[in-house]
Amino acid sequence: MANKPIQKTTLAVLVLSLVGFLLPVSAGAQQSHELRLTGDKTVPPVGTGAYGKLIVRFADDTLTVSGSFESLTGQYHSAGIFVGPEDERGNRLFLLTVDLNEEKTGGEFLAEKNKFHLNEPQKMWLAEGEFYISISSYEHVNGEIRAQLPAMGSGSIP
């Protein structure tokens, strides 16, 4: 008789463990990736010495961007998060806020200024790897450096 409470407890632990294993990972789980922006990733490719290094984080339906870039061929024009495949130009969804250097050929993206709450279609595009970040100068207004975001969020591998 003493074994019955132990067996019930063991069975309960086993069932709870199995249920926990089968449940999907919480959408609030944070994912983070480092991006390197270069001219050869723009469409069409741009021969430039400019480069950038950004960290993108996705947690609680919010995409956050931080990092820096430098050595644009001309003065900074704009930066944004776009939706589109790696080999095509897409549509800008969000404008990034940058603190520029004195020459206006480089700058820094602060996380607290670059947080974007995503709606359901935007989360789907992010999960499918359809987002990219592009930084443009007045010399290359369609983009001087770019990087595609890896798939992040629900349905992607962290």
Side-chain angles (χ1 to χ4, degrees):
M1 290 293 230
N3 288 341
K4 287 203 180 216
I6 294 173
Q7 288 174 347
K8 286 181 182 178
T9 303
T10 303
L11 181 60
V13 169
L14 181 61
V15 169
L16 289 174
S17 297
L18 184 58
V19 169
F21 177 75
L22 294 175
L23 291 176
V25 176
S26 166
Q30 179 173 305
Q31 295 180 40
S32 178
H33 294 279
E34 182 177 298
L35 303 179
R36 297 192 186 279
L37 289 80
T38 59
D40 63 333
K41 296 176 186 169
T42 62
V43 177
V46 173
T48 179
Y51 61 92
K53 183 178 170 184
L54 302 179
I55 302 292
V56 292
R57 289 184 178 85
F58 182 66
D60 301 321
D61 298 335
T62 300
L63 186 65
T64 304
V65 178
S66 61
S68 63
F69 67 97
E70 58 185 68
S71 302
L72 293 176
T73 58
Q75 289 191 342
Y76 171 84
H77 177 267
S78 63
I81 300 172
F82 294 75
V83 62
E86 192 169 356
D87 57 349
E88 295 179 18
R89 288 178 41 204
N91 295 311
R92 186 173 67 199
L93 297 176
F94 303 106
L95 186 63
L96 294 170
T97 300
V98 62
D99 291 339
L100 293 171
N101 64 14
E102 192 173 308
E103 298 81 24
K104 297 183 179 160
T105 57
E108 184 175 7
F109 299 100
L110 302 175
E112 59 269 13
K113 294 181 181 180
N114 292 288
K115 291 182 181 225
F116 307 96
H117 182 77
L118 303 186
N119 62 31
E120 290 305 316
Q122 293 165 345
K123 288 188 283 187
M124 180 188 68
W125 291 327
L126 181 66
E128 293 173 353
E130 293 287 322
F131 277 7
Y132 68 90
I133 294 177
S134 180
I135 300 174
S136 63
S137 65
Y138 281 100
E139 296 289 323
H140 301 282
V141 293
N142 290 323
E144 184 165 337
I145 56 177
R146 170 179 168 161
Q148 197 80 18
L149 277 69
M152 298 173 73
S154 179
S156 67
I157 300 171

